Amino acid sequence: MIPVEELERIIKLYPRLIYAQEKGRQLVRGTFEFCALYDAIGDRFILNPSTSDSALEDRIIQDSYEIEVEFFSGSPLRFPDVREVGGRIQKVIEKFDIKDIRDLHVNKNLNNAICLCPKPEFYVRYPNGLDLFDFFNALVLPYFYGLTYFEKHGEWPRGTYGHGDVGIFEFYFEHRNAANANLIKSCIENLSESLSKEYLQRKGEAKGHWECVCGSKKKMRDCHAKTLGGLRALREDIRNKSINLNLK
């Protein structure tokens, strides 16, 4: 069960959400209504901002989405699946003629669950288990804020990670200084492409002319250069910390 005190904090902040149990599923669903400002300088989201700075007006977004958040129990730990269920994502797809739903950070293989961040980031952010209040404010809110911004301007308000394994390597590249054995293992375990796993095992230095793991068939240095940096860093740290790859 989700702790009652955590649910109460969420519903107080987002009062049009409700908790429901349905066919053995634990859900928070309803209208996710917010007013927020993205502060690019501080790289933070401010709820219910009050500002007289006209330069920030276009970054204040008031909107609402119909969402469903499904929670899981048991081991291994699985973080909640978040889905937009009101048809807004489909409207954005049609507006911009988007061919790949992953460009809106949606995983069709998980029944259109939203990719809020690379999976290893969950374990960095919540090493002792999910903080529901932070989950909504630091991951759910930024996604839907960003989607509205994208709908209006055709771009995301801040940088985003690539899809799948690309995002994992990019994330590791940016967080290597804080890396420990658990983060390294989480990155390895969440890689899904056979090419990524092969690259971890190759001898010598990772080369920029290797085929990019995104599937474009381009050279990695010309396609996702930060991925190449993350791959090199991860390979080096695996060796230095004597991590057992145990790839399947």
Side-chain angles (χ1 to χ4, degrees):
M1 293 290 292
I2 304 169
V4 173
E5 60 273 14
E6 290 193 39
L7 276 173
E8 289 176 345
R9 289 183 72 198
I10 291 300
I11 293 173
K12 183 177 180 180
L13 194 58
Y14 305 105
R16 297 179 68 187
L17 295 177
I18 63 169
Y19 173 71
Q21 289 185 315
E22 180 182 282
K23 297 180 180 178
R25 301 166 71 207
Q26 289 191 77
L27 306 168
V28 170
R29 58 157 57 128
T31 304
F32 183 69
E33 188 173 40
F34 63 89
C35 178
L37 163 69
Y38 174 58
D39 171 18
I41 295 176
D43 190 25
R44 63 190 181 122
F45 289 85
I46 303 170
L47 269 174
N48 304 315
S50 103
T51 177
S52 58
D53 188 343
S54 59
L56 296 176
E57 287 181 0
D58 69 330
R59 286 186 171 267
I60 297 177
I61 290 178
Q62 185 168 356
D63 207 345
S64 64
Y65 288 85
E66 296 303 310
I67 70 170
E68 177 182 277
V69 184
E70 182 175 2
F71 296 86
F72 305 93
S73 57
S75 181
L77 180 64
R78 178 177 170 186
F79 287 91
D81 282 351
V82 179
R83 297 179 178 88
E84 187 275 316
V85 295
R88 285 283 296 280
I89 286 178
Q90 184 59 38
K91 289 181 180 179
V92 175
I93 289 172
E94 294 170 359
K95 178 178 179 178
F96 293 98
D97 193 25
I98 293 171
K99 305 301 184 185
D100 189 344
I101 198 171
R102 295 182 304 169
D103 290 342
L104 295 180
H105 304 282
V106 175
N107 188 340
K108 62 182 179 182
N109 295 323
L110 285 177
N111 194 22
N112 290 338
I114 294 163
C115 300
L116 298 173
C117 66
K119 286 183 180 179
E121 183 175 344
F122 279 123
Y123 299 93
V124 172
R125 186 179 289 275
Y126 308 117
N128 300 313
L130 180 65
D131 179 329
L132 187 60
F133 194 73
D134 183 82
F135 176 76
F136 270 87
N137 292 330
L139 293 176
V140 177
L141 170 67
Y143 175 79
F144 287 109
Y145 175 102
L147 185 61
T148 298
Y149 192 92
F150 184 91
E151 188 177 26
K152 291 182 176 181
H153 305 287
E155 62 181 6
W156 296 91
R158 61 175 180 172
T160 60
Y161 292 111
H163 313 310
D165 290 3
V166 168
I168 291 174
F169 286 125
E170 290 176 342
F171 174 78
Y172 193 80
F173 180 77
E174 291 185 356
H175 294 81
R176 184 189 185 187
N177 290 338
N180 55 32
N182 288 334
L183 175 58
I184 293 170
K185 289 177 182 177
S186 176
C187 288
I188 295 169
E189 290 167 359
N190 283 291
L191 291 173
S192 59
E193 301 297 330
S194 58
L195 191 59
S196 300
K197 298 174 183 179
E198 177 194 334
Y199 285 169
L200 289 183
Q201 300 175 90
R202 281 191 184 181
K203 303 297 183 182
E205 182 185 359
K207 304 295 184 181
H209 66 264
W210 289 0
E211 181 182 321
C212 190
V213 298
C214 74
S216 68
K217 305 297 183 183
K218 297 179 181 178
K219 297 175 182 178
M220 207 177 324
R221 66 184 175 217
D222 300 326
C223 191
H224 287 96
K226 191 182 290 186
T227 294
L228 176 61
L231 172 62
R232 286 174 171 168
L234 185 57
R235 281 162 50 97
E236 181 179 344
D237 290 345
I238 289 169
R239 290 194 300 270
N240 292 341
K241 296 181 184 295
S242 300
I243 303 294
N244 182 4
L245 285 176
N246 192 28
L247 297 173
K248 297 179 181 180

